[in-house]
Amino acid sequence: MKSALFIWGGSDEHEPERCVRLFADILHLAGFSVHFADNLRVLADRAKLRAASVIIPCWNQGVITQEEEQNLLSAVYGGVGIAGWHGGMGDAFRGAAGYQFMVGGQFVAHPGNLVTYRVHITDHRHPISRGIPDFELTSEQFYMHTDPSNHVLASTRFPARPGYEWIADTVMPVVWTRPWGKGRVFYSSMGRKASDFDVSEVRDFTRRGIVWAAKALTEV
C-alpha cells in the first residue's frame, strides 16, 4: 500500500489544515495510508520520512534546521516522492536554499494581488496534465524564481500590472515536475487557499501530481 505523509503548520494564512484534510480524504479513497505531522520534529525522524511513498509539505514560511533539511532532501533523493502547492511548498523555508533547489522554485511576488488569470497547459501528453484544458482561476497569480531544468506542465502569462509594467508578457511556470535523485518532485503554484481547489482543474492537477510523485499514477 502506498503511504502519504502530510507535514502541515506555520501561518494559517493559506489554510494548511483545511487543504491537508481535503487531500487526505482524496488519497484515502485512492487506497493510500495517510499520516500526519503538525510539527517539524518529524523531519528529524529519517526512518519515518523514508517509509513514506510521498511527502506533502504544507508549511507556510517557517524555518528548518540544516539537519532537518538534509534529512528531507536525502529521503527524496533515495526515492520518496514530494508534492505540494503554493500554500505550503513553494512559500516554505525561505532561508533553505537546498530545499528550494529540490522544489525547483520559490515564490517571490503576486503582482495585483487577487486577479483572474488563465492557466495554459504546455504538455498535453504527461499523465498529470493529460485531458485537462486551459482554464481560468481567480486567486493570486504567483511570480516565481524557477529552475530552468523543470519539466513545465502549465504556465501563465502576466499582463502589465500597475506599478509592475516591466513584467508584461512574462510567461511564468505554474505546474512542473522534476527529478531529485531517485525521487519525483511535483509542484503547483495554485493553492493559495482551500477554495482554489473548488476549481476542478486545480484539484485534478494536485491529486494527480501527488499520486504521480508516489509512483502510483496508472490512470487519470
Side-chain angles (χ1 to χ4, degrees):
M1 176 183 287
K2 294 290 185 178
S3 62
L5 173 61
F6 288 90
I7 305 172
W8 68 272
S11 167
D12 289 333
E13 176 185 3
H14 296 302
E15 303 175 339
E17 185 173 9
R18 287 187 61 193
C19 294
V20 163
R21 296 298 176 187
L22 169 64
F23 284 102
D25 289 344
I26 290 172
L27 292 180
H28 180 73
L29 290 173
F32 279 67
S33 62
V34 180
H35 308 273
F36 305 93
D38 62 358
N39 60 74
L40 296 178
R41 292 191 298 274
V42 69
L43 295 176
D45 190 338
R46 286 179 287 183
K48 188 165 187 175
L49 296 177
R50 292 173 179 173
S53 304
V54 61
I55 297 168
I56 302 102
C58 194
W59 200 282
N60 187 47
Q61 300 186 38
V63 177
I64 54 175
T65 67
Q66 185 175 4
E67 179 184 4
E68 291 168 341
E69 180 186 32
Q70 188 56 51
N71 289 344
L72 179 58
L73 269 58
S74 294
V76 178
Y77 194 88
V80 177
I82 188 166
W85 52 89
H86 168 78
M89 184 168 164
D91 190 20
F93 315 133
R94 293 181 181 180
Y99 170 82
Q100 294 170 25
F101 184 19
M102 175 183 66
V103 172
Q106 171 68 29
F107 156 78
V108 292
H110 44 77
N113 297 317
L114 291 179
V115 297
T116 297
Y117 66 95
R118 192 157 186 82
V119 177
H120 302 277
I121 309 304
T122 57
D123 185 346
H124 293 273
R125 303 180 67 178
H126 196 282
I128 295 175
S129 51
R130 188 168 56 232
I132 296 178
D134 292 356
F135 61 96
E136 289 189 342
L137 175 64
T138 299
S139 185
E140 291 172 338
Q141 188 181 27
F142 292 115
Y143 209 93
M144 308 284 295
H145 286 170
T146 65
D147 191 317
S149 70
N150 292 338
H151 183 96
V152 179
L153 304 183
S155 65
T156 189
R157 185 181 296 274
F158 278 81
R161 302 282 184 207
Y164 302 92
E165 287 78 10
W166 61 86
I167 67 172
D169 294 325
T170 297
V171 176
M172 183 61 57
V174 172
V175 182
W176 65 75
T177 64
R178 61 188 282 110
W180 184 258
K182 296 179 180 178
R184 290 179 173 183
V185 179
F186 165 83
Y187 178 72
S188 167
S189 68
M190 300 175 289
R192 171 182 170 269
K193 289 184 179 290
S195 59
D196 278 11
F197 300 113
D198 292 340
V199 178
S200 61
E201 293 89 350
V202 180
R203 187 171 60 253
D204 286 346
F205 251 129
T206 309
R207 173 183 61 83
R208 294 181 190 181
I210 295 171
V211 177
W212 174 87
K215 302 178 182 176
L217 184 61
T218 57
E219 59 183 47
V220 298

